[in-house]
Amino acid sequence: MTSTFPNISINTERLVLRPLDEDDVPALAAMMNDEQVAAWTHVPQPFTEKDAGAWIGDHAPAERTAGRGLDLAVTEFLTQRLVGVVRLTRTDWHVRSTELSYIVAPWARGEGYASEAALATAQWLFGDQKFERVELRTAADNTASQQVAQKIGCISEGVLRGACIARARTDDGVWTDVRTDFIVWSLLPEDLEGTTGQPAGSDGFTAFADWN
């Protein structure tokens, strides 16, 4: 069994999930400077185009090559506009388990893009990559992320108390760390039985040549 994710394109009815590339730098930088992204992730603030370039050119390829995970751009099928990012991290190739997270640009929220992208990724993991478990962790107050987990069929397994560091703005506008809980969710292959929203195309997946 391989211990590195392949370069992949996953197509859904409305979206294309593909490797991040240099053309994504401006949109990625803009998305990461959003207030909600800053609150629930650990990305530096402000997030510059230099930061975006380093993520795309160095961090994402290194994570994939080392077998730790995979970062995918989520784009609209018709416009090719960057909708968000899906990330796989903490991958355990022996257990066939990985942690999935998602970020959506502020202009694209409320359209169901996060759940569509997350579901397509999980289907690819279980079907093509023969994974047995996908894990999600959502901050206790991040209800939007929790709704995505519920929508794709995840089961809540419990709470990791005080395990999450979120961020909030102080009265003078400065970001400060806030400790909160993580809710742990899991998704197993049998949880997707009967789920709609299969990837488009003959198998929904297209391989790419190495991009590192």
Side-chain angles (χ1 to χ4, degrees), residues 112-181:
Y113 287 147
S115 56
E116 186 173 332
L119 178 59
T121 304
Q123 290 170 333
W124 170 71
L125 285 166
F126 293 147
D128 187 82
Q129 296 294 293
K130 308 304 179 187
F131 269 56
E132 296 293 337
R133 174 182 170 89
V134 173
E135 184 174 302
L136 289 77
R137 298 186 181 194
T138 62
D141 294 327
N142 191 349
T143 56
S145 187
Q146 293 163 30
Q147 289 169 356
V148 172
Q150 292 172 325
K151 188 172 182 180
I152 67 174
C154 292
I155 305 299
S156 176
E157 293 185 331
V159 176
L160 299 177
R161 296 183 300 164
C164 175
I165 299 296
R167 288 185 287 200
R169 284 199 184 275
T170 61
D171 291 339
D172 57 1
V174 178
W175 287 108
T176 185
D177 289 346
V178 178
R179 184 172 295 276
T180 185
D181 300 335

Side-chain angles (χ1 to χ4, degrees), residues 13-16 18 24 74-83 107-108 113:
E13 183 177 350
R14 301 184 297 169
L15 302 173
V16 176
R18 56 159 176 77
D24 297 318
V74 181
T75 63
E76 285 185 320
F77 179 77
L78 293 177
T79 67
Q80 301 183 28
R81 189 176 182 186
L82 186 69
V83 166
W107 65 266
Y113 287 147

Side-chain angles (χ1 to χ4, degrees), residues 6-200:
N7 294 325
I8 196 74
S9 174
I10 303 173
N11 300 326
T12 72
E13 183 177 350
R14 301 184 297 169
L15 302 173
V16 176
L17 284 66
R18 56 159 176 77
L20 289 157
D21 63 41
E22 292 182 0
D23 291 340
D24 297 318
V25 165
L28 182 63
M31 180 171 62
M32 291 300 165
N33 281 304
D34 173 66
E35 289 281 310
Q36 289 193 40
V37 173
W40 301 120
T41 72
H42 296 132
V43 298
Q45 292 296 318
F47 191 87
T48 67
E49 291 196 2
K50 182 179 179 180
D51 294 324
W55 180 354
I56 292 169
D58 299 324
H59 178 75
E63 290 295 288
R64 189 193 71 86
T65 301
R68 291 187 292 265
L70 182 69
D71 293 350
L72 293 172
V74 181
T75 63
E76 285 185 320
F77 179 77
L78 293 177
T79 67
Q80 301 183 28
R81 189 176 182 186
L82 186 69
V83 166
V85 175
V86 165
R87 303 192 69 209
L88 302 178
T89 56
R90 302 183 185 182
T91 303
D92 188 321
W93 291 94
H94 178 67
V95 178
R96 308 302 288 186
S97 173
T98 191
E99 183 176 325
L100 185 150
S101 60
Y102 33 80
I103 300 171
V104 177
W107 65 266
R109 292 174 189 149
E111 300 294 331
Y113 287 147
S115 56
E116 186 173 332
L119 178 59
T121 304
Q123 290 170 333
W124 170 71
L125 285 166
F126 293 147
D128 187 82
Q129 296 294 293
K130 308 304 179 187
F131 269 56
E132 296 293 337
R133 174 182 170 89
V134 173
E135 184 174 302
L136 289 77
R137 298 186 181 194
T138 62
D141 294 327
N142 191 349
T143 56
S145 187
Q146 293 163 30
Q147 289 169 356
V148 172
Q150 292 172 325
K151 188 172 182 180
I152 67 174
C154 292
I155 305 299
S156 176
E157 293 185 331
V159 176
L160 299 177
R161 296 183 300 164
C164 175
I165 299 296
R167 288 185 287 200
R169 284 199 184 275
T170 61
D171 291 339
D172 57 1
V174 178
W175 287 108
T176 185
D177 289 346
V178 178
R179 184 172 295 276
T180 185
D181 300 335
F182 263 137
I183 300 176
V184 179
W185 308 78
S186 68
L187 192 66
L188 305 184
E190 54 265 33
D191 297 328
L192 293 186
E193 292 179 2
T195 301
T196 58
Q198 295 292 327

